[in-house]
Structures are given as structure tokens and as C-alpha cells.
């Protein structure tokens, strides 16, 4: 036990040094917590007055954190870590929960639990506009980049769905694949701890998942191919992985181009 006394904490993001962390409380606070003395009484309230703040995207190198609000007229805000100054970047979000920000800090992807169903939207910071990227999700929760390429997202789905989905952003519209179904109640978040290996946090347990098609080890099959396309899914120079619905990288009749060099 590191600390007690919090009011419905929603998310936590640790600093690189692991000496402190940032926490959102559903009551509307954004906190900085020293992990060596992590009771709520030792926390600093950097920002307050937020409406049910949810997932944190920590940009420690640039001194900011990004947070979304869970309300029918929610915001995506940027909080300056030095003094807690809040800058709204987008408004009129519909029950936003999950959040990731691109490496160039120009866009964000947000999961929304709308009245008509769950969806993922892309927000452009320069204009504050949002574009629907994926729909037909069930109570989508926190978002995680699949890897550094930022081509795919993982999102947990709650309610009766209880599954993990992958969102392929390289296609328009984005393709949603169900990576794992039958998860325990209320899967909330996932963390990539190694290529093809995930941890999934649910209500009463944390599970480990090896993602099909991505695991390369002495105990698993070795998938050979071009990029993310296994060799046996390339026919006549075109990639088609749609025959494997659980494979997280979905391609359909996509041309494969390969340039050989002297080193090859």
C-alpha cells in the first residue's frame, strides 16, 4: 500500500524517475503525489474544478499533462505541471474516457461513450476540431499506443463486451479488430510490457495477454513476412490478413512493395 485517502481516483501516471506521480480524482482534481509519502494528505492539488477527469497523458519532457472529462459537454485540457494552469484544447466531447497524444503533439485520440454507442475520435489541436475514426465500440475505456509507430491503438471495452480491441489507424476508415474476448468484468486499461505482451487491468484482477501474431520467442511460432504481414498472408503481391479476425493488423488486398538492397 503506497497511499490512502483519495476520492475515487481514476488514473495515475508516474514520472520517469518514479519518485512522484500524477492522479485524477473523479471529484475534479488533478494531483501531484510524492510516492515516498503517497497518502492523499501529502498530495498537491495542481488543478481543480475539472468534471470527472479520466485518463492522463503525461508529457513530462515538455512539462504538461493532458486530461479528458467524462461529461456530455466535456473538454480535452492541457495542464502545465509547473503551476497547474489549464488550457482547453477541445470542447463538446461526449463522455470522454480514454486519451493518447501523438508524438508531434499536434493530435489526440479520445474514446467517447456516446448515447448512440462508443467511438474513437481524432482531435486536431490547432483547430480544436474532431473527426470520428472508429465506431460500434461498447463503452470504450482507456487507450494505449500499440507501439512507437503510432499506427495502432489498443482500447478496452466494458459492459457486456468485456474485450480488448485494436484500432488500425493506417486505413480509412480505421479498422477495428477484437484481439481478446471474454475478459473479466470491467477491463479498464492495458499496458504494453514487451512486443506482443500486454497487461490488462480489470475490476478484480490484472491479466497477461500474448497478442496473436506478434509474439516471437522460443516458445511461440515465428511469423516471417514483410512488415506486419506474415508470409502466408501475401498472395500475388497483395496482403490479406482479414481471414484471421483476431490478428491486430488488418490488411485487405493491399499491394506489397519491397525494395532490395545490396545488403539483402
Amino acid at each position: 500500500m503506497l497511499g490512502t485517502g483519495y476520492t475515487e481516483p481514476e488514473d495515475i501516471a508516474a514520472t520517469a524517475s518514479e519518485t512522484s506521480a500524477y492522479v485524477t480524482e473523479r471529484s475534479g482534481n488533478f494531483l501531484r503525489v510524492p510516492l515516498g509519502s503517497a497518502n492523499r494528505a501529502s498530495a498537491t492539488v495542481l488543478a481543480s474544478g475539472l468534471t470527472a477527469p479520466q485518463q492522463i497523458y503525461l508529457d513530462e519532457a515538455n512539462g504538461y499533462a493532458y486530461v479528458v472529462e467524462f461529461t456530455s459537454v466535456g473538454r480535452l485540457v492541457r495542464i502545465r505541471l509547473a503551476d497547474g494552469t489549464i488550457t482547453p484544447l477541445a470542447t463538446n466531447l461526449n463522455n470522454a474516457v480514454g486519451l493518447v497524444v501523438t508524438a508531434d503533439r499536434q493530435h489526440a485520440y479520445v474514446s467517447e461513450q456516446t448515447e448512440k454507442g462508443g467511438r474513437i475520435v481524432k482531435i486536431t489541436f490547432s483547430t480544436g476540431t474532431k473527426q470520428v475514426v472508429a465506431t460500434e465500440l461498447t463503452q470504450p475505456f482507456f487507450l494505449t499506443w500499440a507501439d512507437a509507430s503510432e499506427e495502432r491503438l489498443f482500447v478496452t471495452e466494458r459492459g457486456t463486451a468485456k474485450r480488448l480491441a485494436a484500432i488500425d489507424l493506417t486505413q480509412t476508415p480505421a479498422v477495428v479488430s477484437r484481439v481478446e474476448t471474454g475478459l473479466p468484468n470491467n477491463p479498464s486499461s492495458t499496458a504494453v510490457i514487451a512486443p506482443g505482451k500486454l497487461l490488462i487491468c480489470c475490476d478484480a484482477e490484472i491479466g497477461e495477454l500474448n497478442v496473436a501474431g506478434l509474439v516471437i520467442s522460443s516458445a511461440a511460432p515465428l511469423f516471417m513476412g514483410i512488415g506486419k504481414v506474415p508470409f502466408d498472408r501475401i498472395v500475388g503481391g497483395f496482403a490479406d490478413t482479414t481471414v484471421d479476425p483476431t490478428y491486430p493488423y488488418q490488411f485487405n488486398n493491399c499491394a506489397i512493395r519491397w525494395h532490395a538492397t545490396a545488403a539483402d
Side-chain angles (χ1 to χ4, degrees):
M1 180 70 68
L2 294 181
T4 61
Y6 294 87
T7 304
E8 294 183 289
E10 293 288 352
D11 194 20
I12 182 170
T15 60
S17 65
E18 299 183 0
T19 58
S20 59
Y22 297 90
V23 174
T24 48
E25 288 183 314
R26 181 175 283 265
S27 56
N29 300 316
F30 178 76
L31 313 173
R32 180 165 55 222
V33 180
L35 294 179
S37 178
N39 286 337
R40 177 62 172 81
S42 300
T44 300
V45 179
L46 286 181
S48 59
L50 301 168
T51 302
Q54 297 290 309
Q55 188 170 8
I56 302 167
Y57 189 90
L58 183 60
D59 181 14
E60 185 183 2
N62 293 305
Y64 292 104
Y66 299 78
V67 177
V68 289
E69 297 177 309
F70 186 76
T71 171
S72 60
V73 288
R75 301 174 297 168
L76 164 61
V77 301
R78 184 177 64 203
I79 302 174
R80 190 160 60 196
L81 300 179
D83 57 13
T85 298
I86 298 174
T87 301
L89 299 177
T91 56
N92 293 322
L93 299 182
N94 196 337
N95 292 329
V97 180
L99 168 68
V100 293
V101 178
T102 57
D104 61 9
R105 305 301 185 254
Q106 298 300 308
H107 305 280
Y109 289 88
V110 174
S111 63
E112 293 182 315
Q113 297 182 5
T114 74
E115 294 81 358
K116 296 182 179 180
R119 65 186 185 182
I120 307 295
V121 297
K122 178 182 179 180
I123 296 172
T124 301
F125 290 160
S126 60
T127 61
T129 56
K130 70 178 184 180
Q131 169 193 357
V132 177
V133 171
T135 58
E136 299 183 1
L137 296 165
T138 301
Q139 295 182 25
F141 224 71
F142 285 1
L143 298 173
T144 303
W145 287 119
D147 53 43
S149 71
E150 299 185 350
E151 295 179 342
R152 290 162 185 83
L153 291 166
F154 289 123
V155 59
T156 49
E157 295 180 86
R158 305 183 93 184
T160 57
K162 296 190 289 187
R163 60 196 174 198
L164 176 69
I167 315 295
D168 184 352
L169 302 175
T170 66
Q171 302 189 56
T172 304
V175 174
V176 180
S177 304
R178 265 65 198 210
V179 177
E180 186 74 6
T181 59
L183 294 173
N185 288 335
N186 291 329
S188 298
S189 61
T190 183
V192 180
I193 59 173
K197 182 173 290 188
L198 311 177
L199 295 179
I200 301 177
C201 179
C202 303
D203 254 5
E205 65 181 84
I206 295 175
E208 182 178 302
L209 173 66
N210 291 326
V211 182
L214 292 183
V215 179
I216 299 177
S217 71
S218 59
L222 179 63
F223 291 88
M224 301 295 292
I226 298 176
K228 302 290 195 306
V229 185
F231 75 96
D232 59 349
R233 294 296 177 254
I234 302 171
V235 179
F238 291 85
D240 185 1
T241 61
T242 58
V243 295
D244 301 321
T246 62
Y247 188 67
Y249 303 104
Q250 292 288 299
F251 304 93
N252 183 17
N253 201 33
C254 296
I256 294 290
R257 293 180 176 87
W258 178 63
H259 176 69
T261 66
D264 296 324

